Structures are given as C-alpha cells and as structure tokens.
Amino acid sequence: MKFFITGGAGFIGSHFVDYLLKKKHKVIVYDNLILGSKKNLSKNFQNKNFKFIKGDILNFQKLKSSMKNVNVVIHLAANSDIIKSSNNPIIEIKNGTMGTSNVLEAMRFNNIKEIIFTSSNVVYGEVEKLPIKENYGPLFPISFYGASKLACEALISAYCHNYKFKSWIFRFANVVGPRTTHGIIFDFFRKVKKNKNELLVLGDGNQSKPYIHVDDIVRAAYYVYCNKKKEINFFNLGTDGFTSVKKIAKEFLKFMNLDDTKIIY
C-alpha cells in the first residue's frame, strides 16, 4: 500500500511513518514544517519506500499533484496550538476546516477513496458523564480547535456519502510519547529550568486526565483500519484510567533528580 500523510513530520504523524515503513508500506509525507520537523523523520530518509514533500495543504494545486497514485490518505495536518487559535479563530478555519476541504478535493481529483482522520475528544465539549461513548450527543465543542475538528468530520461524512469514500475517524485522548512538542511535561520542564527550587502547579493538583502513549494510538488506528470496513468508522482512542497532575509532578521531579524542589499548588 502507498500512504500519503499530511502533517507526517509532526509528533503523531512521524510515529505513523515509522510504523507503516516497518510494515513494508510506501509512505509519502506532506508537511509545511511549521510545527513538524525533518528531525522526526531523519532515520527514514534513506528508506527507498519513503518520500518527503514540503508543502502546505492550503496550496491546493501542489497538494493535488503530490497526491497522485496513492491508496490511502492519513490526514493529521492541523494547528495544535489551541491557545493561539483561541485569540484568532481564523487559524482553525484555515488550517483545519479549509485545509481538510482541500485534502478531500485532492483525493476526489486523484480518485483516492480512503481517508484516516485524526480528530479529538474535544469535539464532545463539556461532558458530564465519563467514559464518553461514541454515540454521545449532541456535540457542542467549546474550543475553536474542537469546532474545526467536528466540522472536518462532517465534511468527511459528506464526501463518503456523495463520492463513495471510506473513512476511519479517531477521536484521541491526551497523547504522550517521544517527539511531543507541548503539554504538561514541557510546562514543568520550562518552569524548573528557570527555577529549580520550586515547581508551580496550577490548581490543587487533583485535576486528572487519561493519557495514552503514541505507539498505542498508531497500532490501534492501523488495527481498526485493517479490520473495520464500513463507510464511516469512528472510534474513541484512550485509556480507562486517569492520572492526576499531582502524580505527574512528583514523578517528573523524581525522574529529573530534583529531590529538593518544592511543589507549590
């Protein structure tokens, strides 16, 4: 199979690349390198089954010509800086919704019928009862990132209905692992780098989230792709348990050998 991965130089995308190449598939990465990095793909450039194209999904003509003769599109390209987009919603409309529209149109022109889309659990908005079931509704996101992801899911659904596409939509929980570019560990590291005597934790530390390793995400997505063949296949990918900020802070300081650092809540 030949996979075309938008955003393939990013955190999750680069792990998809590694996994698919190990499975002996061919992979084309299409990335503008604004958030992604060639460093994430460095070990693959000598692989004859790998190709990298620097490009933006908003450049429709280049996207369309780059997508020729592939079997499956894995669409990860998006804005992951939620704080930045909260002050400028057009970022999500462009890079999320309009970008996804371009990806789907490029697929249509190239007669590519299968898309794997990385959505997010933020499409559910503020949920009162956990765990979240896939048939939960109505969906009212509270962030522009979540709104864009939900709009992308709707666009994919329409293309499936009108052009006989097949889609695999994955709503991720909080993904962690090598090559990540943001999150609680990054915040903690920046804080102790400035002042190793104390670690400021927002809130009381009891707030918690489910975290899932990026390798589990990739293996799960590939497994579902191989085994579920409905027109639209959508799944939550997460874990059963929750990890508190307090626990993460203590484990972080232990790992960093900062035994004398005081946690301030």
Side-chain angles (χ1 to χ4, degrees):
M1 301 282 285
K2 183 182 281 190
F3 289 82
F4 184 92
I5 307 180
T6 70
F11 164 41
I12 298 176
S14 62
H15 285 276
F16 265 105
V17 174
D18 293 346
Y19 187 79
L20 292 171
L21 289 174
K22 285 180 182 177
K23 292 284 186 181
K24 306 301 180 184
H25 295 296
K26 294 181 178 179
V27 176
I28 298 173
V29 166
Y30 187 90
D31 199 301
N32 61 13
L33 297 179
I34 292 176
L35 296 173
S37 171
K38 280 189 174 181
K39 185 179 179 181
N40 292 337
L41 303 166
S42 58
K43 67 179 182 181
N44 297 316
F45 279 95
Q46 302 303 316
N47 191 321
K48 61 180 176 58
N49 288 328
F50 175 77
K51 181 180 180 180
F52 176 82
I53 300 172
K54 185 179 179 181
D56 197 304
I57 57 174
L58 295 177
N59 184 341
F60 178 70
Q61 293 303 324
K62 184 169 186 176
L63 178 66
K64 184 176 69 171
S65 62
S66 301
M67 203 184 279
K68 290 179 179 178
N69 302 315
V70 303
N71 305 109
V72 189
V73 171
I74 303 179
H75 179 34
L76 294 108
N79 170 61
S80 59
D81 191 341
I82 299 175
I83 295 176
K84 185 177 180 181
S85 66
S86 67
N87 298 315
N88 187 10
I90 196 67
I91 292 174
E92 296 298 351
I93 295 172
K94 279 185 175 181
N95 295 298
T97 313
M98 292 174 62
T100 299
S101 176
N102 279 353
V103 169
L104 292 165
E105 272 295 277
M107 288 176 62
R108 184 166 74 92
F109 274 98
N110 285 292
N111 197 33
I112 303 164
K113 298 292 187 180
E114 296 187 346
I115 180 170
I116 296 171
F117 177 62
T118 55
S119 187
S120 169
N121 61 3
V122 297
V123 299
Y124 294 107
E126 293 184 322
V127 179
E128 295 180 359
K129 188 177 180 181
L130 297 172
I132 305 171
K133 300 294 185 182
E134 283 84 355
N135 60 0
Y136 174 88
L139 305 185
F140 292 120
I142 59 173
S143 68
F144 295 110
Y145 176 79
S148 175
K149 286 292 188 182
L150 187 58
C152 293
E153 289 187 15
L155 276 173
I156 291 169
S157 173
Y159 271 79
C160 287
H161 178 77
N162 286 280
Y163 302 117
K164 306 304 178 187
F165 282 19
K166 282 187 177 180
S167 64
W168 291 261
I169 297 170
F170 298 104
R171 295 166 179 167
F172 293 165
N174 303 281
V175 187
V176 294
R179 306 173 203 158
T180 185
T181 56
H182 59 281
I184 188 170
I185 301 298
F186 264 74
D187 293 339
F188 284 175
F189 183 79
R190 280 192 286 263
K191 288 175 180 178
V192 297
K193 191 176 181 181
K194 288 182 179 179
N195 181 6
K196 68 178 182 180
N197 296 316
E198 64 180 42
L199 174 61
L200 180 64
V201 175
L202 301 179
D204 61 7
N206 291 317
Q207 59 270 43
S208 61
K209 291 180 178 180
Y211 291 90
I212 185 168
H213 197 276
V214 64
D215 288 344
D216 293 331
I217 284 286
V218 170
R219 286 197 300 267
Y222 185 78
Y223 176 84
V224 173
Y225 168 74
C226 292
N227 290 279
K228 294 294 181 181
K229 300 295 182 180
K230 292 182 180 179
E231 183 176 83
I232 301 175
N233 307 274
F234 62 105
F235 289 83
N236 294 327
L237 294 184
T239 54
D240 290 332
F242 291 81
T243 307
S244 70
V245 173
K246 185 178 291 184
K247 182 177 181 180
I248 294 172
K250 290 179 179 178
E251 291 292 335
F252 169 77
L253 294 179
K254 180 180 178 182
F255 179 81
M256 296 291 291
N257 295 317
L258 295 172
D259 298 331
D260 297 326
T261 301
K262 184 179 180 181
I263 300 175
I264 300 174
Y265 295 102

